[in-house]
Amino acid sequence: KMMLTIARYYGTPARMTVLFIKLTNQMISNCKSSIVRPVQGGPPVKMWDQDIPDLLTRLRAVLKLHEVYVSQYRATKERLAAQPKGKQFDFNETAIFGQFDLLCKRVQKLLDMFTTTMQFSSLSLHRVEGLEV
């Protein structure tokens, strides 16, 4: 809100949209990095080689970040809409959130897959009478 109302350069909807896109892209980059690097600043590790419960926690954190980011954007937009004087948040939401939405769809699929994998791996630890491995 401050950038929109105070900064001269970011006073137009097109420039604010570009700023939001840059912020979103940086969030996406950090999310991807947190998924493939279990230790911050450490080397990339394949998802299959990581600790599954820890990976699931980081995947859920990505979804939570997206949820909070979108909800804060919309809350600010509604607050500004309640004040008809002044500049409004009339930006291209598809351009701002589109890439993050796609990332979250992929993360949700990964979350489902690794949750299922973890459930079936726990089944392999149990013995069923009459079946020998």
Side-chain angles (χ1 to χ4, degrees), residues 51-62:
D51 180 46
I52 301 296
D54 185 44
L55 177 64
L56 292 175
T57 301
R58 290 193 313 274
L59 291 173
R60 286 187 192 102
V62 169

Side-chain angles (χ1 to χ4, degrees), residues 52 112-124 126:
I52 301 296
D112 293 341
M113 181 184 64
F114 280 108
T115 302
T116 303
T117 302
M118 198 167 80
Q119 289 170 346
F120 281 114
S121 68
S122 68
L123 284 177
S124 70
H126 300 296

Side-chain angles (χ1 to χ4, degrees), residues 15-126:
R15 289 185 175 155
M16 281 298 293
T17 300
V18 169
L19 177 65
F20 275 113
I21 291 171
K22 287 180 181 182
L23 287 170
T24 303
N25 288 340
Q26 187 62 46
M27 286 184 202
I28 291 169
S29 176
N30 289 340
C31 288
K32 288 179 180 179
S33 178
S34 76
I35 291 170
V36 297
R37 298 179 193 273
V39 177
Q40 188 174 1
V45 178
K46 292 180 182 178
M47 285 190 278
W48 290 106
D49 297 334
Q50 295 182 29
D51 180 46
I52 301 296
D54 185 44
L55 177 64
L56 292 175
T57 301
R58 290 193 313 274
L59 291 173
R60 286 187 192 102
V62 169
L63 296 176
K64 183 68 175 173
L65 175 65
H66 177 262
E67 177 187 328
V68 170
Y69 180 46
V70 172
S71 69
Q72 288 299 312
Y73 175 87
R74 295 209 171 117
T76 303
K77 183 176 180 175
E78 289 172 9
R79 250 192 337 261
L80 288 175
Q83 303 169 354
K85 292 182 180 180
K87 296 181 179 180
Q88 298 295 314
F89 262 32
D90 292 327
F91 310 128
N92 184 351
E93 290 186 25
T94 304
I96 294 171
F97 300 117
Q99 293 296 316
F100 212 165
D101 291 340
L102 290 174
L103 174 70
C104 286
K105 285 180 184 178
R106 292 191 302 266
V107 165
Q108 185 60 52
K109 288 179 183 179
L110 287 170
L111 194 62
D112 293 341
M113 181 184 64
F114 280 108
T115 302
T116 303
T117 302
M118 198 167 80
Q119 289 170 346
F120 281 114
S121 68
S122 68
L123 284 177
S124 70
L125 302 174
H126 300 296

